[in-house]
Amino acid sequence: MDGLQTISVSPAEHLPGTHKHFDRGHTPSISGVLVRTVIPSPLVRWIIPARIRHKNKNDVIFVGDSSIEVKEYLGDSLRQVIAKDDFDFTIRAARVIGTPPIPLTTEEPSGLDAIIKEEEMEATSADSMELDVFASPEVPPQILVLAMESSLKDKLLFLFASYDSSHQIRFLSYEHPLLYHRRYAERLGKHVAVDPRSRAMAVAAASGSFVVYTLKSTAQLREEVESPAGLLQDKFVPVKSERVMKLDGIILKMEFLHPRREDENHVILLIVFSRGERIKLRVYDWDHSRDLQTIETGGDFLVGSNKRCPLLLIPFTFTTGFILVFEDKMSLYHKIFTGDMEPYNLKHEYEDIKEPGSSRRLPLFTSWARPTRREGWNLENDAFFLCREDGTVWFLEFQRNSLPHSAKSEVGGISINVDTAFAVLVDDGIGKYRMGGRSYDMLVAAGDMSNGIVVRFEARKRPEPHQSIPNWAPMMDFCTAHIAPNLGSNAARPSIPYESQIHGRERLFGCFGRGKDHGAVGEIQMGVEASSRINFEVNTGITGLWILPDVAGSSSRTCVLITDLDDQTTLLRIQNDGSSAEEIMDLEDQGGIDTDSVTLTAGSTLSSIVIQITKRSIRALSPTLGCRFSHNFETKTIKLAHIEGLSSAVLVATDDNFLHYGEFLIKDREIALSWEDDRFPPFSLSSEVSCVYLVKVEQHMFAFVGTTARQLHLFSVDRKMGFNLILTHEFPEDFAICDSVAVIARDTRNIAKPLMAVVCGLRNGSIHNFFFDTTDGNVTLEHTELLTQSDPSIFDVESVSGLLFCINDSRLHLTELDDGLRSSPVVRKMSVPGTPSRVIFSRLSNTLVIAFTTIRVREFRDDRSNGLPQQRRLLYPTLMFLDPNGTPMQDLEECPHSTMYSSTSEPQKLPLGVSMNIGPSGMKILGLMEWRPFVLGRVFPLLVVNNLRARKGGRVNSGSIQIYHITRKTPNTVLIELKHNISLARPVYSLASYGASSLIFCSGTTLCLRTMTDVDGVPRWISVPSYELNTMVLHISVREPYIYLSTASNSVMVFKVEDTLLVPQISNALGRSGLHHLLIPSHSLILSTNTERTLAGQWQSPEPPLDNSSRTVFEATLPRSIRKLSEGAIKPPWLTVPEISPRVIVGSSIDGSVHHFELINEDTWRLLRFVQHMAERNATICPHTYAEAPMIHIEPRPRESCMDIKVDLFYRLLDRGSPDTAALLQSMLEAEPDPERRGYDFDTWQARQQRFFEIVDTALEPTALQKQDRVKVVMDFLRREILPPVL
């Protein structure tokens, strides 16, 4: 069956009493579409250190395209604090106004001064500063300024955060409108500059004009905004006055310059602009104490004719001067008001280029940042870091007395690609994580087609990375994949039909990054961010970890028990706040813990007993009573053990395959063990035990026991009855030995039927799920699902007091989880030695197939170079097969198994993770497809690659189709053989399979169909007449007899093969630049995307329309264009409803965001759209756009452009309505109609509410009891059907 036949349908179809029949006749059965953001974009445009919460909070703001994220600098890393993504505007520029942080003191004290300073720091403890934050809300030292734009309005947003009475962060803002222009180049907000003393600000367009603002001081704002009752939002107005200025030219750069310190009121603005082919400088200056009408300019200064556009403008702090950074040099200007503006040129040499050959041009400087220095030093000196796009960092230092000369040094590379997001983290000795007068700088950069980094720079030392900042943008391609449970050869595969395997959850993979150092393919998942606090190294690999109470009885400390490969046990004592960790070496301090033997398991019980089980003994101690207990095994060895903490019970399996059970108790302030006797003898098993697990359900104890005979036994355990075997489950696969059992969830929704989810991890890498049911005394174990282990490496996790303990190999990581436990994307990257562009999952080989470009630089000599070596940049098309569970990258040049392009078609054994060139330089892979044609009486496993071949000398590019036979007979090798190479006169932009053995493809603008057939026992190609289009085809899909095309100018076109001819059927009435499409056969619908940032649902009528055009059912406007649509069962199994297909529709954008789309019927659309209209006019849900909500009636009326539902707004409704989420929806229903929106709302709120209830009754069909609280019914519907996560 075609996988596209099972799609995600309307949630309302599966609600009780709401089953609807979809008529697939002459009207479309779908009316609307849900649009939600699954993975937000990771792009960061600017990084700005600024204290926008409190003077004691060292904040760093990451500014994206339409959101900001506030992080806190902890001295060596960044911790996530809060994100704000409800602007509903695009951010064009960002700056900070207000008082900068206090500079560092001169030097670290010594002797008595150091002791005094330490006492002062203890007095000003972190806890006291934390209380100061919550004591009374106040205006922080700095305020964030954002230049925002939408399709109809531009504005400035002044923003800061504070804590409310419940210690929750809330944002206060002020919006200042910007003059709107129709021409985009004249719209204000392209450039924003702030006076060094925050007295003035300027906002400029790309050309034509700019606006100068006079700002209020921080002291004045505090006087106006702060009050005993809290912060007054309506009094927060930072702008005093403004003046619009005209400028004839294109504005390139704009910055305020630093006046002399004695000039308290002097304000200087510098603008670099171009007019014609000339670049000019213009200086505006005025007296801050006077009106803005006094602004003067001294005329223009022409920058040298040989100068290109400046990349950076850097003002000095100790003088009224600046530096212009160009591609090949830097020009220093420092005599601004003397009439002598001649620059001093600082030559820039490209001594070291990271990744040479990755671009035809030299790397450019993209950003700069000024480090914090003590105040006395800043009077006569200035310094800043310059960052190049290849990650090279330079440090420039200037002295007033030696201008224009400088001390320049390259301080190293940060191993990432860098754009504009670059900053020096400020450490001024204020806050919880203060460092004092340090001798190093901490730099942070967000990656450009690579991860970001927090790195420490110290004089005469190599840069030291401290933290990675994830980035998966741009995402060039993605695929969904169901990985088979066994990755071995065909003989070793589990004996489970493939049809039953594909019903498991699929995984999402994308390709991203640039160059051999940053190219990657990664699995995209969701997780919770954690910050590293402590790392502890063990001599050998860690094999186990257990969290215990402090053996000394302290409540502020925790003990960690670690075992290693040397069969040793290490006991650590860790402060609960994660501030320190130490190993306990003294025997008395160890409290009876055996550190000379390997620990099998350990734990604490409800009765405060600490238990340790080794191979030879069971030990117990009570830290509160100070008593100990030990039971030794003289003739036996314990192989496996488990502790049940509720009953203080232990279950052990010995080397003679006997099970032993006992329970600890406290008697007369001593520990006793109720152990086996004649009434309760040990239980003998016929097979070797592989795992044991105890679980208590109500008053009954049960034991799960796995054996090497591929069995899982379930026992009931009772002190009077002994071991009673209830049932045995047989695992059918090879090597299906259960090595671990765990109860991961208890279903408490149905009290009458308590279910538990039991997970079994098998030795062959698979995971089995069971439902454990004990209703009415009957015990059942129902097998529910077969999953695949994503990473078989040793990795264990424990937690205590909000801290997470993770072990990996020989290192213990103590991490702190994000405060709000917010789920965020996690990308598990696998390196690719090039720039990836395509990725597919091959079911035939159970691998990822990646197409990427590798770059090789070769030297050559010719007559024009006078015999000197020159470099030539060569780009090669490359393929790689990769294990989805992770294979280390092997370098193309160094790996002995790497293969270069060869015109021969001999089979080649390609190891997984090793790349292979498949064509000459200049060829680019445009697509990959797995194909299984039926020819010569059998099915062939083939990989089809469509290419573009670049031609020199202005000649038209050509193309080809390469067809490879692929087999995987060993776990680590793919056998690949070139079978056909079809050369074509034009590039092959897209292709698809048609019928049993045909290919449909687009070469240039020609649509072609070729069939592989049997001619005398030899496969041969037969062509049908081609069809000439007026545009190229970017994507092709087939559902016979129809062929669907996404074209570059005509959106979606549909063809049909009739009598060996390609005949056009229908097309979209509106010509759009199409990108991709997805077929929804169950609803005769075509989802299509285009470059105009819309998603259209086009209905294919069963009867051809007279005008040959498809009907558009809905059209949704998105933040970014969707480059690719796909369908997969990526929804978590615990959120999958049995009656609804687990397959969902997702789409990816170039900025790395992933969106989910779900089709709904008209009744569901009408209900959700009604709520959406109210939410768009609510200041709590849309705080920055509610006043500009669309002027349409609040009751939904079906129109193509209004059929989308913005699910992100419903997440805000749920989040901001807490704790009573229904109250916010009720308040929107009962809000009085806005007089300014007369005609776009009901006359009274009662009429609005009555109509809403009617829509609820139609869509959800509530019972008579539910009708008493319809608002609650709607909120329950949203939580259950609309808002559960997709990934």
Side-chain angles (χ1 to χ4, degrees):
M1 179 184 293
D2 188 346
L4 293 175
Q5 292 179 340
T6 55
I7 70 161
S8 178
V9 293
S10 167
E13 295 177 59
H14 302 281
L15 294 177
T18 60
H19 294 275
K20 303 276 193 301
H21 172 67
F22 280 125
D23 180 14
R24 301 179 185 176
H26 300 282
T27 58
S29 57
I30 289 298
S31 293
V33 58
L34 303 179
V35 181
R36 85 175 78 198
T37 303
V38 179
I39 304 290
S41 171
L43 284 179
V44 179
R45 299 298 185 188
W46 301 276
I47 299 177
I48 306 175
R51 297 178 186 270
I52 65 167
R53 285 186 297 160
H54 192 273
K55 63 183 179 182
N56 291 340
K57 293 295 184 180
N58 201 348
D59 295 331
V60 182
I61 299 101
F62 284 56
V63 183
D65 278 333
S66 57
S67 63
I68 64 170
E69 186 174 2
V70 180
K71 297 177 181 285
E72 186 175 6
Y73 176 43
L74 305 180
D76 60 355
S77 63
L78 296 172
R79 180 181 65 89
Q80 183 179 1
V81 176
I82 191 172
K84 182 174 174 63
D85 57 1
D86 58 0
F87 296 114
D88 299 321
F89 273 73
T90 300
I91 302 174
R92 295 191 69 188
R95 284 296 181 98
V96 167
I97 64 173
T99 308
I102 304 171
L104 291 172
T105 56
T106 53
E107 296 180 355
E108 282 293 285
S110 59
L112 180 61
D113 292 336
I115 298 175
I116 296 174
K117 180 178 180 180
E118 183 67 25
E119 293 176 350
E120 290 176 348
M121 292 179 65
E122 291 177 357
T124 313
S125 63
D127 294 336
S128 65
M129 285 188 290
E130 198 73 14
L131 291 174
D132 186 35
V133 171
F134 302 131
S136 60
E138 62 181 41
V139 177
Q142 294 173 290
I143 296 170
L144 182 65
V145 183
L146 303 174
M148 317 283 288
E149 71 169 7
S150 69
S151 58
L152 297 175
K153 185 176 181 180
D154 299 331
K155 61 185 176 183
L156 288 176
L157 183 68
F158 297 80
L159 186 74
F160 71 91
S162 68
Y163 288 88
D164 59 19
S165 56
S166 59
H167 296 179
Q168 298 298 312
I169 297 177
R170 70 184 187 102
F171 287 94
L172 279 78
S173 62
Y174 165 74
E175 297 180 3
H176 191 84
L178 293 173
L179 187 63
Y180 183 83
H181 292 270
R182 291 187 177 274
R183 291 185 67 246
Y184 188 76
E186 297 180 1
R187 292 177 62 174
L188 295 166
K190 170 67 175 177
H191 306 278
V192 176
V194 176
D195 172 61
R197 301 173 188 173
S198 293
R199 300 165 299 176
M201 184 178 70
V203 179
S207 68
S209 65
F210 64 97
V211 182
V212 178
Y213 300 90
T214 300
L215 303 178
K216 297 178 182 178
S217 65
T218 304
Q220 183 177 354
L221 285 176
R222 286 175 176 167
E223 183 179 348
E224 295 175 352
V225 176
E226 295 174 6
S227 72
L231 300 178
L232 305 177
Q233 166 77 61
D234 57 337
K235 298 295 184 180
F236 177 47
V237 183
V239 176
K240 278 185 178 180
S241 60
E242 63 182 278
R243 179 185 174 185
V244 179
M245 308 284 289
K246 297 295 183 181
L247 189 147
D248 183 15
I250 299 174
I251 300 176
L252 305 175
K253 299 291 177 183
M254 180 175 68
E255 285 286 355
F256 282 88
L257 303 182
H258 289 250
R260 294 181 302 174
R261 289 183 174 269
E262 57 270 22
D263 293 340
E264 295 182 359
N265 295 319
H266 196 187
V267 182
I268 308 169
L269 176 65
L270 171 68
I271 295 181
V272 184
F273 66 100
S274 66
R275 186 183 300 158
E277 298 182 355
R278 296 186 174 185
I279 299 176
K280 298 183 178 182
L281 306 175
R282 181 178 296 179
V283 177
Y284 297 86
D285 68 314
W286 65 96
D287 189 330
H288 173 65
S289 62
R290 301 175 63 187
D291 193 271
L292 287 177
Q293 300 302 321
T294 62
I295 296 178
E296 299 178 351
T297 178
D300 300 340
F301 177 80
L302 181 64
V303 178
S305 58
N306 61 337
K307 299 289 196 310
R308 299 181 181 180
C309 292
L311 305 174
L312 302 171
L313 168 58
I314 307 173
F316 285 120
T317 57
F318 59 75
T319 185
T320 307
F322 59 93
I323 291 179
L324 286 179
V325 180
F326 298 90
E327 182 175 349
D328 56 348
K329 64 180 64 177
M330 307 176 196
S331 298
L332 187 151
Y333 300 82
H334 67 107
K335 298 180 180 180
I336 306 301
F337 294 104
T338 63
D340 182 11
M341 284 274 284
E342 287 298 325
Y344 176 82
N345 292 326
L346 305 172
K347 190 66 176 177
H348 169 52
E349 300 291 343
Y350 284 86
E351 295 91 350
D352 181 28
I353 299 177
K354 313 300 180 186
E355 291 192 47
S358 62
S359 175
R360 288 189 175 90
R361 57 172 175 76
L362 294 173
L364 305 177
F365 282 109
T366 56
S367 51
W368 70 279
R370 177 172 282 114
T372 305
R373 297 291 185 262
R374 61 183 183 270
E375 188 173 9
W377 186 90
N378 286 336
L379 292 175
E380 298 293 330
N381 303 271
D382 197 3
F384 50 83
F385 289 94
L386 273 176
C387 189
R388 215 165 58 188
E389 59 183 331
D390 63 347
T392 301
V393 178
W394 288 78
F395 182 73
L396 274 70
E397 188 172 355
F398 296 87
Q399 294 182 355
R400 177 193 294 270
N401 297 333
S402 61
L403 276 182
H405 303 286
S406 68
K408 181 178 66 172
S409 63
E410 181 182 350
V411 295
I414 55 179
S415 303
I416 65 170
N417 301 323
V418 182
D419 196 3
T420 54
F422 176 76
V424 178
L425 298 177
V426 178
D427 182 8
D428 53 19
I430 297 177
K432 182 177 180 179
Y433 301 93
R434 51 191 170 190
M435 303 294 292
R438 64 188 184 186
S439 59
Y440 60 87
D441 290 292
M442 296 292 291
L443 275 65
V444 57
D448 176 31
M449 297 188 74
S450 69
N451 282 340
I453 194 171
V454 177
V455 61
R456 169 174 166 164
F457 278 86
E458 190 168 1
R460 294 174 294 279
K461 292 185 179 180
R462 298 178 65 87
E464 179 184 341
H466 276 240
Q467 186 179 2
S468 178
I469 300 173
N471 177 35
W472 54 91
M475 187 185 300
M476 305 307 298
D477 193 16
F478 80 97
C479 69
T480 58
H482 182 277
I483 315 301
N486 193 300
L487 300 183
S489 63
N490 294 332
R493 288 184 181 275
S495 55
I496 300 176
Y498 179 77
E499 290 75 14
S500 64
Q501 295 179 24
I502 64 175
H503 293 308
R505 184 187 183 188
E506 297 183 34
R507 293 150 64 180
L508 187 64
F509 291 88
C511 60
F512 17 72
R514 177 179 62 195
K516 65 182 182 65
D517 292 335
H518 306 298
V521 170
E523 181 179 4
I524 304 174
Q525 303 167 311
M526 299 298 291
V528 178
E529 185 175 340
S531 302
S532 178
R533 299 293 298 277
I534 295 176
N535 292 328
F536 188 85
E537 188 77 25
V538 178
N539 292 333
T540 59
I542 300 175
T543 59
L545 176 145
W546 298 272
I547 308 298
L548 305 173
D550 184 24
V551 294
S554 173
S555 60
S556 63
R557 297 178 301 191
T558 298
C559 284
V560 180
L561 205 62
I562 300 173
T563 59
D564 56 34
L565 292 176
D566 289 338
D567 289 348
Q568 297 294 315
T569 295
T570 303
L571 185 62
L572 301 179
R573 177 176 284 130
I574 296 178
Q575 295 293 332
N576 287 344
D577 61 359
S579 59
S580 64
E582 62 176 350
E583 182 178 355
I584 303 176
M585 305 292 291
D586 187 83
L587 292 178
E588 188 63 30
D589 290 343
Q590 290 175 356
I593 296 293
D594 182 5
T595 57
D596 294 328
S597 304
V598 60
T599 300
L600 298 178
T601 188
S604 59
T605 70
L606 195 62
S607 54
S608 301
I609 299 176
V610 177
I611 303 172
Q612 179 197 20
I613 302 178
T614 67
K615 290 184 177 182
R616 290 289 186 179
S617 66
I618 301 176
R619 298 192 175 210
L621 63 99
S622 173
T624 55
L625 300 178
C627 54
R628 303 175 185 179
F629 173 88
S630 179
H631 176 80
N632 297 321
F633 286 71
E634 301 296 341
T635 61
K636 297 183 179 182
T637 300
I638 302 175
K639 289 186 58 181
L640 299 163
H642 187 256
I643 300 169
E644 203 286 318
L646 295 177
S647 299
S648 301
V650 295
L651 176 66
V652 300
T654 52
D655 54 354
D656 55 358
N657 298 326
F658 273 87
L659 297 177
H660 305 261
Y661 177 83
E663 295 179 1
F664 282 98
L665 59 135
I666 302 292
K667 187 176 182 181
D668 298 330
R669 300 183 63 83
E670 294 292 336
I671 299 176
L673 176 61
S674 177
W675 195 239
E676 55 199 29
D677 50 30
D678 294 338
R679 294 180 304 167
F680 192 173
F683 188 89
S684 176
L685 292 170
S686 59
S687 301
E688 183 181 349
V689 180
S690 59
C691 72
V692 294
Y693 187 87
L694 282 175
V695 60
K696 187 174 184 179
V697 182
E698 296 178 345
Q699 300 302 317
H700 303 285
M701 187 71 71
F702 297 93
F704 290 91
V705 180
T707 69
T708 56
R710 301 188 302 181
Q711 296 175 330
L712 177 67
H713 301 294
L714 176 61
F715 295 88
S716 65
V717 187
D718 185 86
R719 290 292 307 163
K720 296 180 180 180
M721 304 298 295
F723 288 95
N724 178 31
L725 180 62
I726 299 175
L727 56 87
T728 298
H729 177 81
E730 301 276 351
F731 295 104
E733 309 104 296
D734 295 333
F735 305 105
I737 299 172
C738 182
D739 280 331
S740 60
V741 178
V743 174
I744 62 171
R746 297 174 185 257
D747 187 356
T748 58
R749 292 174 294 182
N750 189 346
I751 301 177
K753 188 178 181 180
L755 292 176
M756 289 189 297
V758 180
V759 176
C760 296
L762 272 58
R763 195 167 295 179
N764 64 3
S766 61
I767 298 175
H768 288 253
N769 289 353
F770 297 87
F771 278 141
F772 180 40
D773 186 7
T774 60
T775 305
D776 300 328
N778 298 319
V779 179
T780 59
L781 193 66
E782 178 187 357
H783 185 268
T784 62
E785 191 173 8
L786 169 65
L787 303 176
T788 305
Q789 188 175 5
S790 60
D791 188 355
S793 63
I794 297 174
F795 190 84
D796 198 5
V797 174
E798 295 286 349
S799 65
V800 64
S801 300
L803 301 175
L804 196 69
F805 297 77
C806 307
I807 59 173
N808 191 11
D809 294 332
S810 61
R811 184 174 291 272
L812 168 67
H813 305 273
L814 176 58
T815 61
E816 182 180 19
L817 289 176
D818 170 41
D819 288 342
L821 295 180
R822 291 180 291 266
S823 180
S824 59
V826 178
V827 179
R828 180 178 63 89
K829 288 188 177 182
M830 296 168 281
S831 297
V832 172
T835 303
S837 58
R838 294 290 183 269
V839 60
I840 65 170
F841 174 69
S842 169
R843 290 182 176 178
L844 301 174
S845 61
N846 204 39
T847 63
L848 296 172
V849 186
I850 304 103
F852 58 96
T853 300
T854 55
I855 300 172
R856 302 172 69 88
V857 178
R858 290 183 177 177
E859 291 189 352
F860 68 96
R861 300 174 187 269
D862 58 17
D863 297 336
R864 292 173 296 180
S865 62
N866 297 322
L868 297 176
Q870 301 293 313
Q871 287 186 340
R872 176 175 295 167
R873 180 173 173 265
L874 302 176
L875 282 70
Y876 289 93
T878 312
L879 280 182
M880 176 186 285
F881 294 83
L882 201 60
D883 182 354
N885 292 323
T887 297
M889 185 269 291
Q890 301 183 46
D891 186 75
L892 179 67
E893 297 182 356
E894 298 178 359
C895 177
H897 302 290
S898 308
T899 57
M900 295 299 296
Y901 168 68
S902 173
S903 58
T904 62
S905 58
E906 295 296 325
Q908 299 187 51
K909 289 184 178 180
L910 189 65
L912 299 186
V914 175
S915 57
M916 180 184 76
N917 289 149
I918 64 168
S921 64
M923 179 181 288
K924 182 179 181 181
I925 300 175
L926 298 181
L928 300 172
M929 184 187 73
E930 203 169 40
W931 188 32
R932 303 182 67 188
F934 183 81
V935 185
L936 303 177
R938 64 191 181 101
V939 176
F940 290 86
L942 302 177
L943 176 69
V944 185
V945 184
N946 54 295
N947 305 307
L948 173 150
R949 176 75 183 275
R951 299 289 187 180
K952 297 180 180 180
R955 291 182 294 170
V956 178
N957 295 336
S958 62
S960 66
I961 298 177
Q962 296 173 318
I963 302 177
Y964 294 89
H965 183 272
I966 58 172
T967 54
R968 185 181 178 186
K969 295 184 177 180
T970 64
N972 300 316
T973 306
V974 172
L975 185 66
I976 180 169
E977 180 182 1
L978 179 63
K979 289 294 186 180
H980 299 275
N981 190 355
I982 306 173
S983 297
L984 298 160
R986 296 290 183 271
V988 182
Y989 295 106
S990 55
L991 58 78
S993 62
Y994 183 86
S997 58
S998 299
L999 287 178
I1000 180 79
F1001 59 89
C1002 174
S1003 176
T1005 58
T1006 305
L1007 187 63
C1008 308
L1009 178 65
R1010 294 195 182 186
T1011 301
M1012 185 185 294
T1013 187
D1014 180 4
V1015 179
D1016 298 329
V1018 179
R1020 292 287 184 265
W1021 290 100
I1022 297 177
S1023 301
V1024 304
S1026 59
Y1027 189 94
E1028 191 66 31
L1029 303 167
N1030 62 357
T1031 180
M1032 62 181 178
V1033 179
L1034 301 179
H1035 176 60
I1036 303 176
S1037 64
V1038 173
R1039 181 170 176 80
E1040 294 181 40
Y1042 296 106
I1043 301 169
Y1044 301 84
L1045 316 176
S1046 283
T1047 65
S1049 60
N1050 294 328
S1051 191
V1052 175
M1053 302 179 66
V1054 182
F1055 279 74
K1056 187 178 181 182
V1057 180
E1058 296 180 356
D1059 298 329
T1060 69
L1061 295 178
L1062 293 167
V1063 180
Q1065 300 295 304
I1066 59 175
S1067 63
N1068 191 265
L1070 299 176
R1072 292 184 174 89
S1073 299
L1075 290 174
H1076 206 266
H1077 68 263
L1078 181 68
L1079 305 180
I1080 313 297
S1082 57
H1083 299 290
S1084 301
L1085 207 66
I1086 308 169
L1087 290 182
S1088 63
T1089 68
N1090 52 66
T1091 58
E1092 299 172 15
R1093 302 188 303 171
T1094 60
L1095 173 80
Q1098 299 169 230
W1099 182 59
Q1100 184 179 357
S1101 173
E1103 297 182 0
L1106 297 178
D1107 58 355
N1108 292 330
S1109 63
S1110 59
R1111 172 184 166 184
T1112 300
V1113 179
F1114 58 78
E1115 191 172 57
T1117 301
L1118 307 172
R1120 293 288 182 273
S1121 295
I1122 300 297
R1123 291 173 55 90
K1124 182 177 180 179
L1125 291 167
S1126 185
E1127 188 185 24
I1130 63 172
K1131 185 177 292 188
W1134 55 88
L1135 295 174
T1136 302
V1137 181
E1139 295 83 4
I1140 303 179
S1141 168
R1143 303 183 68 82
V1144 296
I1145 302 169
V1146 292
S1148 67
S1149 299
I1150 191 68
D1151 64 351
S1153 60
V1154 177
H1155 301 269
H1156 167 234
F1157 308 102
E1158 187 170 356
L1159 307 178
I1160 54 177
N1161 58 31
E1162 183 173 348
D1163 291 339
T1164 305
W1165 166 84
R1166 195 178 299 277
L1167 169 63
L1168 297 178
R1169 190 74 185 191
F1170 199 114
V1171 178
Q1172 178 174 312
H1173 285 170
M1174 293 190 296
E1176 289 174 337
R1177 306 177 189 191
N1178 184 270
T1180 301
I1181 299 176
C1182 299
H1184 306 291
T1185 57
Y1186 70 94
E1188 297 93 33
M1191 284 294 186
I1192 55 177
H1193 199 278
I1194 205 166
E1195 169 153 8
R1197 291 176 172 81
R1199 288 189 303 173
E1200 293 177 4
S1201 60
C1202 298
M1203 304 307 295
D1204 60 309
I1205 302 298
K1206 302 175 182 177
V1207 180
D1208 293 351
L1209 293 183
F1210 292 82
Y1211 282 112
R1212 298 182 200 172
L1213 171 63
L1214 193 67
D1215 180 56
R1216 298 175 189 183
S1218 299
D1220 185 5
T1221 55
L1224 181 55
L1225 178 57
Q1226 186 67 51
S1227 67
M1228 293 192 296
L1229 287 170
E1230 297 177 356
E1232 291 293 338
D1234 187 354
E1236 297 183 1
R1237 290 181 176 269
R1238 188 175 301 276
Y1240 300 101
D1241 198 353
F1242 294 87
D1243 293 336
T1244 63
W1245 69 265
Q1246 291 87 350
R1248 182 199 306 131
Q1249 180 173 265
Q1250 179 61 34
R1251 179 56 183 146
F1252 178 74
F1253 288 165
E1254 293 172 0
I1255 294 175
V1256 172
D1257 293 345
T1258 302
L1260 303 183
E1261 298 181 1
T1263 63
L1265 180 62
Q1266 291 175 330
K1267 288 182 179 180
Q1268 297 179 9
D1269 193 351
R1270 291 182 177 88
V1271 173
K1272 183 180 183 300
V1273 171
V1274 173
M1275 295 306 302
D1276 291 342
F1277 167 69
L1278 293 177
R1279 292 191 193 94
R1280 183 180 65 252
E1281 306 291 350
I1282 305 299
L1283 300 179
V1286 175
L1287 186 62

